[in-house]
Every structure is written in C-alpha cells, then in structure tokens.
Amino acid sequence: YLIKTSPVHFDMNNHGSTGIFITPQGIQENKPYVIINGAIENDNNSPLPVIVRHRITSAEGTLITEEQQKLNLKPLSKTSFKLSSKILRNIQLWSPDEPNLYYVTSLLYDEKNQLLDEIRNPLGFRYFSIHKDKGFSLNGKHCFIKGMGRSQDYDHMGYAIPDEIQINDVRMMKEMGVNFLRSHYPQDPVVWNECDKLGIMMTGRIPLFDKIAYTRAFAENTKQMMREMILQNYNHPCVIMWEYMNEIFGGMDWYWPKPQDPEKMKKEKEEVYKLAVELEKMTRSLDPYRLTEQVFHTDPNPQWYKEAGLTSVSMINGWNIYFGWYHGNLQLVGKAIDEFHSYNPNLPYIISEYGAGSDNRIHTETPTVFDFSQEYMDMFHKVYLSEVAKRPWISGMCIWTWCDFQVDSRRDVMPHINNKGMVTADRKPKDVYYLYKARWNPSPMIYIAGKNWTERKAITQGEKTITKKVTVYSNLKEIELLINGTSLGKKKITDYEAVYEVPFREGQNLLLARDINSDLSDAALITYDFQPLMLDASCRELCINVGQSRTFFFDPLTRNQWLPDQTYRQGSWGHVNGNYYRVWNEMKAWQGIREGVDNNILNTSIDPVFQTFLVGVTEYRIDVPAGEYVVELYFTEPFSRERRLKPEEQTGADVNGDRIFNVLINQVPVLKNLNLAGQYGEQYAVIEKFETKTTTGGIVINLLPVKGEPVLSGIRIMKK
Amino acid sequence: YLIKTSPVHFDMNNHGSTGIFITPQGIQENKPYVIINGAIENDNNSPLPVIVRHRITSAEGTLITEEQQKLNLKPLSKTSFKLSSKILRNIQLWSPDEPNLYYVTSLLYDEKNQLLDEIRNPLGFRYFSIHKDKGFSLNGKHCFIKGMGRSQDYDHMGYAIPDEIQINDVRMMKEMGVNFLRSHYPQDPVVWNECDKLGIMMTGRIPLFDKIAYTRAFAENTKQMMREMILQNYNHPCVIMWEYMNEIFGGMDWYWPKPQDPEKMKKEKEEVYKLAVELEKMTRSLDPYRLTEQVFHTDPNPQWYKEAGLTSVSMINGWNIYFGWYHGNLQLVGKAIDEFHSYNPNLPYIISEYGAGSDNRIHTETPTVFDFSQEYMDMFHKVYLSEVAKRPWISGMCIWTWCDFQVDSRRDVMPHINNKGMVTADRKPKDVYYLYKARWNPSPMIYIAGKNWTERKAITQGEKTITKKVTVYSNLKEIELLINGTSLGKKKITDYEAVYEVPFREGQNLLLARDINSDLSDAALITYDFQPLMLDASCRELCINVGQSRTFFFDPLTRNQWLPDQTYRQGSWGHVNGNYYRVWNEMKAWQGIREGVDNNILNTSIDPVFQTFLVGVTEYRIDVPAGEYVVELYFTEPFSRERRLKPEEQTGADVNGDRIFNVLINQVPVLKNLNLAGQYGEQYAVIEKFETKTTTGGIVINLLPVKGEPVLSGIRIMKK
C-alpha cells in the first residue's frame, strides 16, 4: 500500500496504527461513552488551527453522535488530542451472538472546513471478565470460549492467499459455532475485520515460541512486535486478549533428547521469566482493557513453567494438551487438565490447544492413537469435550487447528503437512467440523458422519449386505435414518449423536437422515465393494497394506483400496510370520500402537502404505484359485542408517546396518540380493511387479534373509 | 521391460508382437476352431527337435483343448509353424454383454520335455459384419456402436500415468455403457487387455492425422507403425477395426486462412490418396479379419475427402462432426450427417467424433453454443443422440471424448485443456456421463443432473423460495422427486429424463429422486445464496462477470459467485453502455454468441471472468445503500497488438492499436491513463481495489477514454 495524505493528517508514525485509539467506557453501568485518543501531524512549516470531528455511526450508517474539538497545530510537530464523548443512547452491545458493530469516522478539517484527512475505526461495546472458578463472562453473562487456532496458509499456495480465502475461513468457523480465534502470529488485517463483523473474539499473539535468545536485542524486538500488534489492533472489538509466549520451553534443542543441564536450565528459566514479566507489564500498560495470556505445554517438562514462575505472570494460563496424541492416551486427558491446573489454581485456565491429525484417505472401524483416521480424530475431540464439560472452572478450549497446514519438518501421512485441521488444506470439512457444529452452533443440523468415506471395501463371505455402524451428528431431539429408502427407525439424539447399525449392500447406497419434526435432512452416497475372502473373478484386485493392522487406505488417484494386514488363515490371506513395526511398543509413556515410521517416503504419494511394514516376514500367503496373476510388491527401507545401527530400534538390520534379502514367488526366485537402501536409497518407494501362475491355487511369497531381516510394506495382486 | 529367454524361444523379432498369431475360425458355422501361426527362433549353433503345445483354456482356467506339433529347428534360424485346432465344444461367444474370454498358452519343449518358453495370448470367439444400411452386427445380431474417444493423460501428470488409472478409465466407460473405444494412437497395453476382459470393442489407430509429408520415408514410417500395431494386437478379441488417417486435410497451415492454391491442393489430394491406398492394402493383407476405417472432418473443406477419392478406400467412413460447436448450430447436425453420408452412401458410416466442451465452474439456465457450460454440453449430446436415432443406417457414434485432456495450444476457459471430456481431467464425472449411462447401460439408474453445481446464487426480491428447473436422468419408467422431504410428484420418464420445477429455499436443499417401484434413489445437496437486487447487509458481496451475458461462474478457490452481466436498471446494477464483445457476431457460419476471447489470461486462474468483457463501456452503475464499500475492478487487455490494429476486429483500440482510459468511482479519479497493454502486457489479469463512500447511495464507475475505447471484465463490490 502507498498512502497519500495531506501534509496535515492523523498520526501515521505510531507503529503502523491508524493514530487514533478508541476506548469504550461505562458499558457495564449502562452509560456508554467513548474516549478517543490520537495525534495529528503537521508537516507544514506553519502553525494551523484545525477541527477534529468524530462521527460515531452504526454499521448501517445511522449517526449516533458527533463530537468535535479545536486544536492549534504547531509547525512541523505532532499534536495529541483526547476527547470523551457524551453518553450514548440506544447502544447495542457487541457479542458473538449479536456482533453489533459501530464505526468512528475521524475527520480533520482546516479553518475553512476543508477536509484534510479521514480515518475510520471499528467500535464495539462489550464488557468482559474472567474468573478462576466461574470462567469467562461477556456482558454480564457466562460465555464459554469455543476457540479455534488458525494458520493462514492454503493448499499449494503457502501464505500468499487472497483475502477471500481468509474471509471464507472466518465464515466457516462462525458456521461451525466458533466464538474465539487464536493463532501463532497476528493474522491478516481482513481477519480482524471479519471477526469484528461476525462476532468472533480474538486473542492477538506475537510469534514468540519454543525458545528465546538471552539478549537485549531479542527482548526489544519481541516488545516491538507486541507494541505494534496492540496499537494496530487496539480498536477491534473482537480483541479480548493479548498473548505472547507459546510453549516457550518446547524448542530447547540442547535438552532433547539429552539429559538436563541444571545450570543451563536455571538460566533459561530466569531469562524466560524476566522477558515474560517485561512483556506482561508493557501489555497491561499499553492496553489495560484486555486480558493477557501465556501458553504452556507438556513437553519437555510442564513443571518448568511453574518452577520458572511463568504460571503466575499473565492474567490467564493457557495449556496446550496433547494427551491421546503426542502423549499418553485419552484416559489421561482429565488427569492432565487437573494436574496443569494445580500449578496455579488461582488463575483462570484455558485449554489453549488440543488436537489430533487425520488424513481423509484413512479410515478405520477400530480407531487408535496416531492412526490418522478421521474416526480417531472424532473420538479424540469427544473426549476433550466431555472432560471439559465436567470442569466448569475451565474458561474455554481452543482447537488446534482450523485447517491442515504446512510444516516443512513434518513427516506424517502427508509429508510437510500438519493434519490436525477441522478442514483439509483446500478447506473441505472433515467429519469433526460437524461434530463441533452440532455442539457449538445452536442452528438445527443433521450430518451423517463418514459421508466423505464414499468408496469402501469390506471383506465378505457371500452375504447380501454387511452391517456397519453409522453415526449421525445432530443437535435435534430425535431423527430417523433410512438406507436405500428403508427406515432403520427413529432414535433419540444423545450427546449430539445417534448411532445406527446399517446394512449396506454392494454398490451404491443412499443414506438419508431426517429430523422427525421438520424438513431438515442430510444424505450420503456410499459405495461398497465386497471383497471375498479369496480373490475371485468378481474382484479386480487385492491390495494389502502390509504391516498396518487396522486402517483402510483409499488412494483417490488410482482408486486402490488398501486393506489392513492380517495373520494368515486358510482360505484367506495374511502373513505367516513377521512383526508389525510399532515405534511406540517400547516407549511406555506413549501408549498406543503408532505403527511404522514417520518418514517422508520419496517417489510416492501413498506414504501410509510404505510407512507401515512387517519386519522379519519370511512368508506371506494369499490363497487364490488356480490361474495366472500379477503380483506387485511394495518395498521401502524405512530407516536411516544411523537408526539401523541401533539394536534398540529393532529395525531388523544386521549389526552393520545392512538389510539384504531374496524374494521368491511360488518358489520361483524373482529378486536376488535385494538391498533397498543400497540400490534405491533409504525411505524411497520401490514397487516390483511380477507375473505368476498357480495350477493348484495359492500364492506364496517368501522373503529369505541374506543380511538382517526382510521388510515388506504392501502387496497388490490382480488376475492376469 | 527386459525379457530373458532361453536361446530357443518363440519369435521375439516380429515387430514387438508375441510371435504367435491366433485366428478364430468357423464361428458363424458353429464349428469354432483356431488357426495358430507363429515362429520359433533357435539361437543355438545346433539343430533341435522341439514340441510346441498350445493349451486353450477359459478365463477361469478350465482346459478346452490342447494341440501339439513337433518341429525340427535348424541352427541359428527361425522356423515358422502353423496349426489348426480341432473343432471346439461349448465355446461361449465374446461380446460386450458377455465378454467370454479364452487364453491360448503356447508352450515350447525340448525332447526331454524341458520347458523352453511359454507365452499366453488372449482369444475370443465372435463374428461381425457391417452394412451400409443395416449397420454393424455382432454374432449375428445388430449391435449399435456406442463409442468413446480417449486420450490417456491425467490431471497434472501428463501421459506418465499408472496402470490403475488406465484400467479405471475402461471400467468407468463400461459402467457408462460404452462398447467401443477409439483414440488418436495405440493405447497402453493394459487398455487392450482390459477391453478384452470387460467387452469393449476397439479400433486400433496410428497417430497419422492433420497432414502428411510427401516422402517415401514418411510413408514407410507410417506403414511401420501400422504393421507394429496390428501384429502386436492381432490376438485381442476386442479389436474389430483398424484405422489410420484422421482429419488428414485438417492441418494444412498453408491453406488456413489463406485462399486455396489449386496446384498444391491437387498434389496434396494425390499424395494422401496414394498413401491411404497403400495403408489400406497393407492392413487388409496383414489382417483380413478386421474392418478398416478412415476418419474425415468438416474443416477446411469436407468435399476434398471425396474429391481425393478417400471416401472410397476403407471399408468404413468415419466423420468427425462438430456442428453446434466449432461450426453452425445444433439445427444443422442432421443435415451435416446426411451431407457427408451422400459423399459415399455405399459404405458403412460412423460418426467417429462429436463433442462439446464444458467447465464444471460454469453453469447457465440459458445454454448457448461455446459457453462451456455443463448445460450446453448436455443439450449438444442430446441433439446428436436424437439425430442418430432417426438414421438406422448409421453404424455407430463415437463421443469425443472421455476425459478433459491436455492440448498445449488450447486457449479456452482452462488454458491448455480440451474440455470435451465426459469426466474432468481428474476423472470426476460430469452430468453428461449419466446422460449416456441412462441410455447406454441398461442397469436401472437415477441421476439428478446439476448435482455438482452445489453452490448457486440467485437474484431474488424477498421471495422465500425460488423456482428452478431440475432434470433427472433415468432409464426407469416413473420416478418421484422430493425437495427437503416434500414430494414434487411422480413423473413418467420420457426420453430418459423427467424435468421438474423445483422451489429451492435459501441455504442447503436436499433433493431426493427415487424409483416408484424399487429402492433405487439419488440425492443432491444444493446450497442457494439469495442475492437481493441491491447489495444489502445480508450479502457478502456482488461479483459481476462484466461482458458475460448468460453464465454463472463459481470459483472454488475463493468461493466467489460471478453473476452474468446485465443492462442497468434502477434499484439494481448493470452497464449503462458498452457492448458485449462477441467474436462470432460477424461470422455468419458460426451462429451463436461466443463471447469474449479465447486467450490464456496470465496471472489468474479465473480466465473466464477476464476473457469476457464490455468494449466501449463508459458508465457502470451499482445501486447500493449509503455506506462505505470496497470496489475491485477486473481488467485485461484482451487483444494482441496485431489484432488491435485491424478495424474489422472491433477491438475498440484506436488506429495505432492503443487503448488508454481514466477510471472514476463516484466522480473520484482512481486510475489515470490506464494503459493495460503498456503497463502490464496483453492478456494479463489486473485487479484494482478501491474504497469508496456514498452518502446518498449508489456507486457509479466511469471509464473515460483517452485513446480508443475502455474495456472492463469484472466488478466485485463488498461492504467495507
């Protein structure tokens, strides 16, 4: 932007602010008025008498009042002004439910009534407070903070996104029922504006996290960011809070995974505390009308925040809690909330982050921690909602996060993506979006969960239908579910959902969920492919995600349906031996079954197929009728050499980190001395395709070790 | 592929073929047997007695018969063999309805019964003929050719696509009811195999089109391609036809747009004829069991094909007909079919290509030629289906084309993409896919057309609902349509569709279409945004696709809904003056309203907004209530300088090709001497954003010419 002004204009040199600061007062007493502070710059070499006029209007343009002031500007100088308005009549309060917005248009005139400058600022009237036991209240009423964290990037676009996407995000959050926005940095200006308009409260935050430098320059830079953010956004009624530090001990690379250095730790705590106190003091002095918050984390050690004194600095303590994801399991969530609360029960408490990742390609009927299924994500969020509901002293909860967003260092199911979004990186809502909408947005709604799992495969044995659970999210009293026109009965909604046992047929199924009392409804088209236990003429192929015990993976590109692995039994298929590689087996704190590795597998887009694998598998059997088949074997060396050299990692490599094996299909050698790391490099996808013939039926794949133990990530079999 | 063989093996040096050629015989006489021709190479320096054994099995592996032959191989030589099987019992014929497939496994043994080589070839038993009046018949029954053209590329992947995508394509075509595949080059081997398995007939074709070189080398290269294709694919039962030339006069760059050079034309005709005769002769001699086809086109002059003698060379004449798209209008389709037929009524006739483009972002209630709406595409295809149905002598019709595919030179709504696909480049079916499925696949089906137009905007004046036409495609007798649970009545299906007047409400609507007699149904979720005539607090914004008279454009990225332009009337919005730029206004042969330019507009993904524009617009009015607004103006210089210098192009540029204008919003100058070509370059998207305030209501945009006439492509207005 290039801004052209008259030589006499409102202050342009105050940290990028509009130069005008509006403070609504007297709201609680029902005698609302505003205090307007500001400054005018006179770049002329001569003095000038001016008139400053402030017009307060409603969002629709109705004039509420006009106040004015005469000032005598000195040459080449800045002149401050301050003005209190009269008490305003018929003011409507601003709240998420009724975001009544006003504007203050400040006009600067010379003696001849010539307009010199004009600035419009938003204005909203609301009062709020927060209490350690009673939580947050807005305009005198309790208001639970339904919060959302947000990164402002978009699929394949990075941060350079059009305003429309920013605005659409706020609109979609509003629709979901969110009333509070948080992020890791000050959001784009259009986001603050849209939050004013739609009634989403906000905590403004600077990007200070993970660690600090122990220098004055760092501290000053931090304060400068904070000052700019506050002054630029002071007038937004959406802002109720300022926040500075997030997970500030989280990035101590000198600590992880090495043991603690007590001296260094002491110094770290002192320095962080000092900076926090400084930031807190400055924030309160710049804006005494907002709350302040700091945000803490479980890693590496939550006690440090208390020991450092940080839990007594801000007005609110926020805790980022990832039990059931990065730590522990979902049974520990309540305990964790309470433990962190005990660090300072005298301050209001917010769960400032919590979240679990999901990849729309992954689904399961048996969700488990870190499986990246949509189903586990929903289970995770329900537990947090339920634990919070039991604790009325919690002021609010802030979902991490709005959208799947880009993090270069991540190596999960979609490398470089953090999948904890309510919506995908291209803003397609996941089921969890509607899980919250049912709870947080009172508008009547029905949503059939799993409706974006449109293409499914089920192993069957000649049944005409197969029965699967379907959950409907709703905030209605009672609904009815129909499959292909047949009612499955009415059900009362309990805890915002109704669960049905649904008989699906092969091919397309139409699910229809409808309200008993209105014309509200939802529909889902779900196609089932019935896979017989043995590959037969009716099925195109069998894709086995070897080493993955529970999840279904659908590849939208090839339309391959990858089934979870199983132990061999006659008349079916599975591994005869070998172990699911489970990175969390040995780490007691991380209960769950995180299978496979979190590496970016190169040369493929179906990382989850390659990331999970069996170690030490020497025989895999697939019972098929006699005939000719195409067999594809999916391999990768999942581990770095460094890791392969550590016996405790149980990578199956030999003492030299080598892994070499031969492969035979029905006794015919097809790969000799396969050395994945040597021939292709580590974490590189390799697909080997063979043809085989069986006259007696059955395909046996043998992987015979030469050095270390064989690994196998996937098998795809088709009739030739 | 690297193929390892024994020194004694089936012929590996015959044009990439399997070295074995299987000809089913006696089918029509119900005495089926096969003739097997082949050769064996002995790379040893010594003679060898061998046994060749051919096992004929069903697809399930049941042995039908085994034939064998003893041969004495000379050293370092190739030995041919030929064998007729006994008459085979219980043979099931191959057809699209029942693609009964057999395999011939040829085994080569030495004297000690040691297996030396093994090759499997597909085999199918069917007989067919084609007749100028009676059309195509298969296994003694009339069989209308329901054909599909295909390019084998995929969204953002080019031609290097996995087998799965190739196979999925064939499966999706089969589901649609297609029984015949055509393309511009021999398809990937997996496609031929899948066509064998699923029962899709095929014409094999070499990439000889647009023009030839008059050289012997060119002719020989062409013949070599043809020979390789035939020999490699001879055994596929799916193949019923071979094809070589396509639109062979279409690429005469010396002709277009210059007038004809009679001498050059004479030579061209002679050379093309000579090559055609040569190819035809070779094809028939290599494979006397298949049909042959050549394909002709309307451009530049369909008579040339006749004059050159080409319409009497092959066994079938194919015509690519694009009336209603590139030429003329839909009323001329029947006439064109008949005219081309008259060039040689003694040969069987196929419509080898016909098609219209559509972009899923574009929809309209008033479809017109070249508007790239899904709705026009459907209208186009219905006309062709109806005209063909009236002419029983037409053997078949071949849709152009399967998927939206990549053509570098294209500059349509999606630059570099030919949008004539039944499915998008990433294989999402368009409505037209189901239009055909209703007609071509006898399985019962229902489909609500327009269901992928999920986000719609309608201009309303306070109505609670707005009534719009909804068409349901079906092959059932009678259906019922419900909106939000309320029945709109039962309707008989006529011509594979039922049309309803549907009252949509604002927000989400659920359409449910169901069979009267079964549990078959389809559902569509369609969201309507009601846009009042004037922008008010209820609407986020107004996006006007200036210079576009009929189509709605939805940008999935920003979710902007671009409405068509209109003439200004009070209380609403529109242009006060200016002309829709219509490239086809002056070209009588191309009736229709092709608006705008077909240029790739750089710096944007919403080309259709920029490609259409008003020329000579000096005033555009948008009636809005008093208030503050953000106004975005979308500009591009749509024409090259070369074109701007031609007065007959009516580009609105001045005699020097210049176009410069000033822009004012509510009398405030906002852009001075805007020179789009000079400042930004031609066909480059420019968005200028301004804020404006109106105290009396209304926004007036003035574009005041300095040189030439102003152009304007789009306006987007929001409340500030």
Side-chain angles (χ1 to χ4, degrees), chain B residues 181-387:
Chain B
L181 181 60
R182 177 180 180 266
S183 69
H184 281 338
Y185 40 79
Q187 297 270 295
D188 189 282
V190 299
V191 173
W192 303 72
N193 287 335
E194 200 66 17
C195 284
D196 283 347
K197 288 181 185 174
L198 297 185
I200 293 189
M201 303 180 287
M202 207 197 260
T203 173
R205 191 171 143 227
I206 55 167
L208 172 59
F209 52 112
D210 284 353
K211 59 179 167 184
I212 69 162
Y214 308 156
T215 65
R216 197 61 228 155
F218 184 90
E220 288 304 329
N221 181 272
T222 304
K223 287 170 73 180
Q224 175 74 0
M225 287 197 292
M226 196 71 187
R227 197 179 293 119
E228 286 174 356
M229 176 177 70
I230 294 172
L231 296 178
Q232 287 168 18
N233 298 292
Y234 182 90
N235 297 328
H236 286 291
C238 67
V239 178
I240 60 163
M241 209 181 282
W242 301 115
E243 189 187 327
Y244 37 95
M245 286 180 184
N246 179 69
E247 304 188 359
I248 200 65
F249 293 126
M252 295 196 298
D253 39 15
W254 58 267
Y255 174 78
W256 261 345
K258 289 161 226 141
Q260 187 178 336
D261 171 341
E263 269 316 297
K264 211 164 177 179
M265 194 62 234
K266 185 161 172 283
K267 167 92 167 148
E268 180 89 16
K269 285 180 190 161
E270 284 166 10
E271 291 285 339
V272 168
Y273 179 77
K274 212 163 65 185
L275 181 58
V277 168
E278 217 175 319
L279 283 164
E280 179 71 19
K281 195 175 156 200
M282 188 192 77
T283 302
R284 292 205 200 182
S285 117
L286 280 171
D287 185 356
Y289 304 104
R290 262 79 174 206
L291 305 167
T292 61
E293 188 192 27
Q294 261 184 93
V295 164
F296 313 120
H297 189 35
T298 325
D299 282 328
N301 185 340
Q303 303 243 21
W304 290 349
Y305 295 103
K306 185 185 174 189
E307 290 161 13
L310 292 174
T311 51
S312 304
V313 174
S314 299
M315 296 161 78
I316 304 162
N317 286 335
W319 281 90
N320 296 347
I321 303 183
Y322 286 97
F323 279 77
W325 191 246
Y326 297 124
H327 324 94
N329 59 36
L330 290 172
Q331 280 78 55
L332 302 176
V333 173
K335 196 169 160 288
I337 292 173
D338 293 338
E339 188 194 326
F340 302 145
H341 182 235
S342 77
Y343 293 180
N344 186 355
N346 293 319
L347 278 192
Y349 183 98
I350 284 176
I351 299 180
S352 37
E353 286 182 23
Y354 64 106
S358 82
D359 175 340
N360 270 352
R361 299 173 298 176
I362 296 176
H363 291 276
T364 184
E365 291 157 11
T366 51
T368 337
V369 61
F370 235 81
D371 66 8
F372 284 93
S373 72
Q374 203 165 191
E375 291 70 24
Y376 181 75
M377 190 187 205
D378 284 19
M379 180 189 280
F380 175 99
H381 282 277
K382 284 181 204 169
V383 168
Y384 277 77
L385 283 160
S386 136
E387 291 297 337

Side-chain angles (χ1 to χ4, degrees), chain A residues 118 120 154 163-164 168 484 505 510 512 519 521 540 557-558 560 628 689 693 716 720, chain B residues 118 120 154 163-164 168 484 505 510 512 519 521 540 557-558 560 628 689 693 716 720:
Chain A
E118 176 175 349
R120 192 178 80 159
Y154 191 94
D163 289 355
E164 289 99 321
N168 279 322
N484 302 317
R505 63 183 173 203
L510 176 63
L512 179 73
D519 63 3
S521 51
R540 166 177 161 187
L557 195 64
T558 59
N560 283 332
E628 299 195 34
K689 185 173 183 172
K693 196 169 71 166
R716 183 163 169 262
K720 191 182 155 187
Chain B
E118 176 175 347
R120 192 178 80 159
Y154 190 93
D163 288 355
E164 289 99 321
N168 279 321
N484 302 318
R505 64 181 173 204
L510 175 64
L512 179 73
D519 63 3
S521 51
R540 167 176 161 186
L557 195 64
T558 58
N560 283 332
E628 298 195 36
K689 186 174 181 171
K693 197 170 67 164
R716 182 163 170 263
K720 191 182 155 188

